[in-house]
């Protein structure tokens, strides 16, 4: 049994990550014969992509996927730890799994992802959820075949969570959810340690993948006809800084663009590492999409300092302005936290001021949620929940107003949309513009998987409607 420790997870060493190539041990290849798995994924794209790896690992063990939990022999929850409500959802769902297991005791149940990296969560599972069969962390995914096999053989709870990252494992198989767009990890972990954030503990030290593995992966996707890749990292602008090969995010963006994949995206950017050479590359290559997610978190210098964000309001606004001026037609979205410990009315007004200046295309807004073991958890928080809710409401009204305003500029225009599939709305199709606007589209299904010209005929706050121009 390997239990996580927040204290160990915090440590950063100079040790360089080595690269190891994954290969499944033959003895695990038939473990899942005749069995089905069901996986439920919470949280960010990084987790969605981890689930794509987990699915492929399970299929190498001969498990088959089912999207009906009642039908499954193995149920896995890939969890998120970023805020309290993500936690609550997982523990709520565990109740349903327990109920199923009471009826079918042979079901194997498991928890992985960011919550599995949290000391407090794993202790709770060990003490109060003994019926959960396996727990494995974000650094242990490649070891799933062994963990699962051990749990089956020993018929006991198997917990394997390393507190710190190990080598970078390449060659982990992947079963992609889409044959049109793909997620690609370019780096793991984060070293920024924003004071509210659990990610540097649950995902470990920042480690960049070597460029050749990333470029090979993109080339392979191009061959398979993929239209879009999204380069993933907690903080992609810092890509390469840990590699000592004088190769940075702007080099990677250029090389990925040169594969001629039709669309390149990247998330998430930290304003601190966004340099001019990146801006230049984004504006130079037509297949790097004019869309940037640039988390603000707060507009108050005092709060930004308490958050450990390493920029102030002026720096942020200067960068924002530069991006708008240098990248034609760029759309910029953001993340904002309200109710950080000690946030005053004045601080909140500073945030609103930035929002009113930047007029974001869209924003994800959150109420501060204390995460166990982070510095902000211990900060004195005298803002009432009622006040926090009020601020969130005020902020959302303004954010939504600008989102609608930004969308209105598209009305009547013809824009390129990558058609991804059927829309939830009746018999329409759906896809995204280069600027990451969701469009429900009237048109023939034969266009799925293609980038087509779409005339925008109606706009709302969160989406638009359009029809394919022939
Ligand atoms: N409380 C509220 N929001 C948080 N985020 C990260 N940690 C917390 C927290 N403890 C938000 C940030 C980040 C986004 C992914 O989640 O805005 O950019
Ligand atoms: Fe968390 Fe800050 Fe790292 Fe983003 S940059 S993952 S908010 S610590």
């Amino acid at each position: 049994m390997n239990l996580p420790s927040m204290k160990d997870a915090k440590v950063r060493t100079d040790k360089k990550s080595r690269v190891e190539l994954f290969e499944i041990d033959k003895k695990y290849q038939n473990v899942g014969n005749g069995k089905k798995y069901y996986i439920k994924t919470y949280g960010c794209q990084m987790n969605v992509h981890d689930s794509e790896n987990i699915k492929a690992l399970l299929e190498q063990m001969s498990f088959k996927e089912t999207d009906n939990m009642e039908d499954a022999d193995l149920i896995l929850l890939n969890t998120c730890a970023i805020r309290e409500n993500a936690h609550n959802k997982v523990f709520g769902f565990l109740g349903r799994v327990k109920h199923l297991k009471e009826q079918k005791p042979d079901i194997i149940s498991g928890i992985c992802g960011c919550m599995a990296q949290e000391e407090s969560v794993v202790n709770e599972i060990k003490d109060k959820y003994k019926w959960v069969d396996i727990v494995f962390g974000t650094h242990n995914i490649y070891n799933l075949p062994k963990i699962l096999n051990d749990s089956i053989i020993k018929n006991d709870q198997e917990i394997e969570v390393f507190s710190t990252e190990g080598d970078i494992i390449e060659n982990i198989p992947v079963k992609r959810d889409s044959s049109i767009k793909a997620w690609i990890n370019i780096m793991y972990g984060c070293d920024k340690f924003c004071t509210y954030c659990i990610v540097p503990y649950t995902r470990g030290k920042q480690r960049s993948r070597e460029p050749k593995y990333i470029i090979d992966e993109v080339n392979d996707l191009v061959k398979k006809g993929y239209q879009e890749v999204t380069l993933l990292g907690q903080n992609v602008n810092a890509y390469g800084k840990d590699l000592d090969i004088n190769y940075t995010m702007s080099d990677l963006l250029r090389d990925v663009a040169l594969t001629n994949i039709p669309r390149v995206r990247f998330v998430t950017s930290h304003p601190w590492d966004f340099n001019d050479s990146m801006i230049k590359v984004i504006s130079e290559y037509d297949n790097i999409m004019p869309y940037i997610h640039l988390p603000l978190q707060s507009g108050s210098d005092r709060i930004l300092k308490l958050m450990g964000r390493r920029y102030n309001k002026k720096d942020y606004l200067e960068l924002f302005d530069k991006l708008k001026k240098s990248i034609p037609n760029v759309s910029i979205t953001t993340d904002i936290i309200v109710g950080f410990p000690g946030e005053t009315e004045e601080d909140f007004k500073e945030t609103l001021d930035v929002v009113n200046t930047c007029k974001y295309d869209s924003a994800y807004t959150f109420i501060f949620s204390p995460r166990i073991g982070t510095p902000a958890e211990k900060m004195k928080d005298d803002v009432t929940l009622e006040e926090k809710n009020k601020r969130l409401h005020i902020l959302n009204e303004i954010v939504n107003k600008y989102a609608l305003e930004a969308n209105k500029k598209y009305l009547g225009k013809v824009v390129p949309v990558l058609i991804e599939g059927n829309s939830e709305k009746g018999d329409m199709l759906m896809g995204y513009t280069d600027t990451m606007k969701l469009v429900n589209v009237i048109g023939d299904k034969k266009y799925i998987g293609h980038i087509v010209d779409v005339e925008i005929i109606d706009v709302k706050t969160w989406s638009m409607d359009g029809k394919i121009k022939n």
Side-chain angles (χ1 to χ4, degrees):
M1 193 185 296
N2 269 298
L3 299 175
S5 137
M6 285 293 269
K7 198 164 142 259
D8 295 348
K10 198 167 153 182
V11 175
R12 293 294 185 265
T13 64
D14 286 340
K15 193 174 138 271
K16 291 273 166 250
S17 300
R18 288 185 316 133
V19 175
E20 215 179 281
L21 293 183
F22 173 85
E23 203 183 342
I24 190 157
D25 192 321
K26 286 209 168 48
K27 66 178 180 236
Y28 303 132
Q29 277 175 343
N30 293 316
V31 172
N33 255 345
K35 295 195 173 115
K36 291 188 200 139
Y37 71 90
Y38 171 87
I39 179 160
K40 186 162 175 66
T41 309
Y42 298 84
C44 66
Q45 291 104 327
M46 193 80 68
N47 253 21
V48 171
H49 187 45
D50 282 350
S51 285
E52 292 183 329
N53 288 132
I54 291 169
K55 287 178 190 182
L57 285 168
L58 291 171
E59 299 201 0
Q60 287 201 344
M61 298 175 78
S62 303
F63 283 93
K64 296 257 181 311
E65 184 170 9
T66 171
D67 51 15
N68 178 7
M69 184 167 81
E70 331 266 291
D71 222 20
D73 305 282
L74 166 66
I75 300 173
L76 276 183
L77 307 188
N78 188 5
T79 63
C80 167
I82 199 97
R83 282 172 295 275
E84 183 69 30
N85 58 357
H87 257 234
N88 297 345
K89 275 191 211 154
V90 168
F91 279 108
F93 198 84
L94 268 182
R96 283 179 59 192
V97 180
K98 185 175 184 212
H99 185 67
L100 262 184
K101 223 178 136 113
E102 278 160 2
Q103 291 159 9
K104 284 165 71 182
D106 288 342
I107 289 178
I108 306 167
S109 58
I111 294 182
C112 58
C114 285
M115 274 171 69
Q117 290 295 139
E118 288 184 280
E119 201 173 318
S120 53
V121 168
V122 176
N123 284 335
E124 191 170 344
I125 292 169
K126 190 162 69 69
D127 297 338
K128 297 197 203 134
Y129 295 77
K130 289 197 195 314
W131 55 270
V132 172
D133 301 286
I134 58 172
V135 181
F136 60 99
T138 58
H139 307 307
N140 309 76
I141 290 176
Y142 68 95
N143 215 13
L144 174 59
K146 180 177 184 312
I147 299 168
L148 200 48
N149 190 54
D150 286 358
S151 147
I152 294 169
I153 291 170
K154 293 185 206 153
N155 197 16
D156 199 4
Q157 193 174 56
E158 192 67 25
I159 301 181
E160 189 180 298
V161 183
F162 294 159
S163 297
T164 49
E165 63 292 330
D167 298 330
I168 289 196
I169 316 289
E170 290 293 349
N171 224 18
I172 301 186
V174 56
K175 183 190 178 197
R176 297 193 185 273
D177 295 338
S178 161
S179 55
I180 299 166
K181 60 176 195 176
W183 311 111
I184 298 193
N185 279 325
I186 60 167
M187 60 205 299
Y188 304 98
C190 179
D191 289 344
K192 289 279 188 283
F193 284 102
C194 301
T195 56
Y196 51 81
C197 187
I198 191 104
V199 169
Y201 308 84
T202 61
R203 293 276 170 177
K205 178 176 146 171
Q206 179 185 303
R207 290 148 292 144
S208 301
R209 284 178 74 196
E210 285 181 20
K212 66 170 188 256
Y213 293 108
I214 300 169
I215 302 298
D216 281 355
E217 201 171 332
V218 182
N219 277 323
D220 183 50
L221 291 164
V222 173
K223 260 192 238 138
K224 290 180 173 144
Y226 275 78
Q227 298 293 307
E228 179 176 301
V229 293
T230 303
L231 309 178
L232 293 178
Q234 300 302 340
N235 183 14
V236 289
N237 314 18
Y239 172 81
K241 288 191 171 175
D242 50 307
L243 283 177
D244 287 343
I245 54 168
N246 203 10
Y247 186 95
T248 64
M249 184 59 180
S250 48
D251 298 304
L252 182 69
L253 273 176
R254 181 201 58 224
D255 287 346
V256 172
L258 288 172
T259 65
N260 283 330
I261 184 100
R263 289 183 161 193
V264 182
R265 300 188 186 280
F266 54 94
V267 278
T268 284
S269 296
H270 188 297
W272 195 54
D273 290 310
F274 216 119
N275 60 24
D276 288 353
S277 61
M278 262 186 76
I279 300 177
K280 188 158 172 278
V281 174
I282 298 167
S283 54
E284 267 172 15
Y285 289 89
D286 285 347
N287 57 345
I288 303 180
M289 295 299 98
Y291 165 69
I292 292 163
H293 186 62
L294 194 70
L296 167 71
Q297 312 300 5
S298 168
S300 150
D301 287 350
R302 197 180 71 82
I303 296 293
L304 284 170
K305 199 158 194 175
L306 286 172
M307 287 177 162
R309 289 292 286 179
R310 309 172 197 217
Y311 56 83
N312 59 27
K313 179 180 172 188
K314 184 166 159 282
D315 300 332
Y316 184 95
L317 289 175
E318 274 171 17
L319 174 63
F320 187 94
D321 201 40
K322 206 190 293 179
L323 291 169
K324 281 276 178 190
K325 284 196 176 117
S326 321
I327 306 168
N329 190 32
V330 71
S331 95
I332 302 181
T333 57
T334 200
D335 290 341
I336 297 169
I337 299 176
V338 299
F340 189 80
E343 183 189 68
T344 62
E345 197 56 41
E346 268 317 297
D347 294 318
F348 177 59
K349 283 202 179 117
E350 291 284 306
T351 299
L352 295 184
D353 186 48
V354 177
V355 174
N356 282 317
T357 307
C358 295
K359 303 183 172 58
Y360 293 104
D361 283 81
S362 173
Y364 299 91
T365 55
F366 313 102
I367 290 181
F368 167 73
S369 169
R371 309 316 298 130
I372 298 173
T374 59
E377 181 214 354
K378 294 173 199 80
M379 293 181 190
K380 189 163 176 286
D381 188 359
D382 50 9
V383 190
T384 63
L385 186 61
E386 194 191 349
E387 179 60 32
K388 291 182 188 201
N389 274 314
K390 200 176 108 203
R391 287 181 194 169
L392 185 69
H393 182 74
I394 294 172
L395 176 63
N396 283 344
E397 296 272 299
I398 299 177
V399 161
N400 293 349
K401 181 182 85 171
Y402 290 124
L404 181 61
E405 254 178 39
N407 283 354
K408 276 188 180 156
K409 292 188 191 138
Y410 284 70
L411 206 54
K413 284 201 177 145
V414 176
V415 289
V417 174
L418 169 56
I419 306 290
E420 291 182 15
N422 294 319
S423 161
E424 286 170 3
K425 276 182 61 180
D427 51 4
M428 290 170 102
L429 306 170
M430 58 73 65
Y432 287 89
T433 62
D434 51 355
T435 50
M436 202 66 181
K437 309 268 180 197
L438 172 62
V439 192
N440 292 303
V441 181
I442 303 165
D444 199 301
K445 284 193 186 352
K446 71 177 180 199
Y447 292 110
I448 293 175
H450 296 270
I451 298 169
V452 291
D453 281 341
V454 169
E455 182 183 343
I456 304 301
I457 51 177
D458 192 14
V459 296
K460 294 150 205 156
T461 306
W462 304 114
S463 69
M464 311 179 184
D465 290 341
K467 60 175 187 224
I468 293 178
K469 283 288 268 191
N470 289 309

